Amino acid sequence: MRRNWAARLRHGTIDGLRAVTLENERLRVTVLPGKGGDVVELLHKPTDTDFVWLAPQGLRDPRDHLQGAADDVAQFIDHYEGGWQEIFPSGGAPSEYRGARLAQHGEVSGLPWECEVLADSPEEVAVRLRVRTRRLPYRMEKVFRLRSGTAALEVEGRATNESGLRLHAMWGQHIVYGPPFLRPGARIRLPEGVTVIPHESAINPPERRVRAGGPWPVVPAHGGGETDLSVVQEPGAPSDIVYLTGFGDEGWYEISGDIGMRVSWDATVLPYLWMWQELGASTGYPWWGRAYTVGLEPFAGMPTDGLAAAVANGTALVLDPHETKVLRLRAEVVR
């Protein structure tokens, strides 16, 4: 029965792509099964606050795009609308693993996922998405669940090695925030004991924000002195990416201004949090000075150099023959 109260589901299309919307009294969450299971809306209804950053280029259907030139980075960037992507089995730059060439951010974010309804009642709604990677022998599942009366999206992901071989992977949640929610002075909170690991080089040379790592949140700044990573900077501040670790069994962060988002996850599966900031300083491809966004991305493996680098430094996820890894994550609006 179609409802316009309590928990409910809607099915439709956005720019030609299949869309599923999970909604209750407080949240509206829109997912695109036809494009990687991307979350393109996470709206807190009482305050009309959407936590999803929408990229300037907007949503593009990968099926309608004629590739202009072979480019393993553009395969992701050409169709990046912002929002929240599932990243698997490689994170960051193109990489090669055991003869398989993997493009920017791996495979599953660019593939269509099957979708089925698991629950559709006034008490809760849930959908399950499924996909198989094409270059490595993995199966992915992802369940989105929204319960009546809550301001929390519950997510359960499963990664299964369908081969009889021991394999590696990077697994991440590419969650980014932008205006109007994200503003200069917004605060980021993490548990005690977290350590900052800087990326080896600047991502927008010659400038960057962080010179060296150390305990969160105050670390040496690139231009001298110190910088407080818990405070979102003004437009035009240097681009950078750092890796945060030391979460113990449960990872969590809060990012807040007038209202906030708390994300918690199983840090035994994703032990790192990538912190990416692109606040308008990058004036070349692909941002052209138009991005103002901060990514806070739970991840297995680092750095953002692809799977081969994570295997080499021992941070890649290991899946034994026919093993399934389970990830539970919760994204909740906090006041």
Side-chain angles (χ1 to χ4, degrees):
M1 175 182 174
R2 182 179 173 91
R3 294 181 303 282
N4 58 2
W5 71 91
R8 62 263 201 193
L9 283 174
R10 294 287 185 271
H11 302 271
T13 59
I14 300 176
D15 293 336
L17 289 162
R18 181 183 177 187
V20 179
T21 298
L22 300 85
E23 187 171 359
N24 67 7
E25 304 89 341
R26 300 185 183 183
L27 288 185
R28 188 169 68 233
V29 181
T30 299
V31 179
L32 301 179
K35 185 185 178 298
D38 289 8
V39 177
V40 294
E41 179 185 41
L42 207 166
L43 179 76
H44 182 243
K45 293 162 64 174
T47 60
D48 196 28
T49 302
D50 195 345
F51 290 88
V52 164
W53 177 63
L54 300 177
Q57 68 187 23
L59 179 62
R60 297 169 174 172
D61 187 341
R63 298 170 299 181
D64 296 335
H65 180 62
L66 298 177
Q67 187 74 29
D71 186 332
D72 282 347
V73 173
Q75 185 170 316
F76 178 86
I77 294 294
D78 282 356
H79 312 109
Y80 177 57
E81 78 285 357
W84 170 358
Q85 286 76 36
E86 189 86 14
I87 304 299
F88 191 94
S90 183
S95 183
E96 185 171 313
Y97 176 71
R98 296 172 69 167
R101 180 72 182 176
L102 300 169
Q104 177 84 10
H105 282 322
E107 297 194 69
V108 300
S109 64
L111 295 177
W113 294 48
E114 299 174 4
C115 180
E116 64 174 318
V117 175
L118 292 184
D120 185 3
S121 73
E123 290 74 36
E124 69 172 20
V125 289
V127 294
R128 177 165 56 204
L129 279 61
R130 291 193 180 101
V131 72
R132 279 184 166 90
T133 55
R134 295 178 178 177
R135 300 196 174 182
L136 275 71
Y138 285 116
R139 183 180 74 249
M140 302 289 294
E141 297 183 6
K142 190 170 188 176
V143 174
F144 292 97
R145 189 178 306 274
L146 190 59
R147 304 180 194 272
S148 177
T150 72
L153 175 67
E154 300 171 38
V155 181
E156 181 178 291
R158 292 176 178 265
T160 299
N161 176 4
E162 295 194 308
S163 80
L165 304 173
R166 190 170 186 260
L167 297 176
H168 297 87
M170 298 174 81
W171 190 3
Q173 304 299 313
H174 194 278
I175 308 172
V176 297
Y177 302 91
F181 161 68
L182 189 72
R183 302 174 185 171
R187 293 277 178 169
I188 300 166
R189 293 182 57 238
L190 298 178
E192 295 290 333
V194 168
T195 299
V196 179
I197 304 171
H199 191 59
E200 185 177 3
S201 59
I203 61 172
N204 181 39
E207 297 300 321
R208 65 180 307 175
R209 184 177 178 187
V210 174
R211 176 172 56 85
W216 169 273
V218 178
V219 295
H222 177 65
E226 295 179 324
T227 186
D228 186 348
L229 290 173
S230 69
V231 181
V232 176
Q233 303 294 285
E234 298 285 337
S239 309
D240 213 338
I241 185 167
V242 298
Y243 312 98
L244 310 171
T245 191
F247 290 95
D249 290 345
E250 181 184 7
W252 65 265
Y253 68 78
E254 291 182 3
I255 178 169
S256 60
D258 297 334
I259 192 171
M261 172 66 71
R262 180 185 174 95
V263 176
S264 56
W265 71 95
D266 184 350
T268 65
V269 180
L270 309 185
Y272 297 95
L273 181 68
W274 294 14
M275 180 181 175
W276 168 54
Q277 66 169 43
E278 179 48 67
L279 305 176
S282 298
T283 55
Y285 176 82
W287 308 119
W288 309 110
R290 299 188 299 170
Y292 186 85
T293 185
V294 169
L296 293 169
E297 310 167 29
F299 247 93
M302 57 153 284
T304 182
D305 292 334
L307 179 55
V311 172
N313 67 21
T315 64
L317 193 68
V318 176
L319 289 96
D320 289 326
H322 306 290
E323 182 184 5
T324 295
K325 298 284 190 184
V326 179
L327 170 69
R328 292 178 177 86
L329 181 146
R330 179 181 175 95
E332 182 172 11
V333 179
V334 293
R335 301 294 296 270

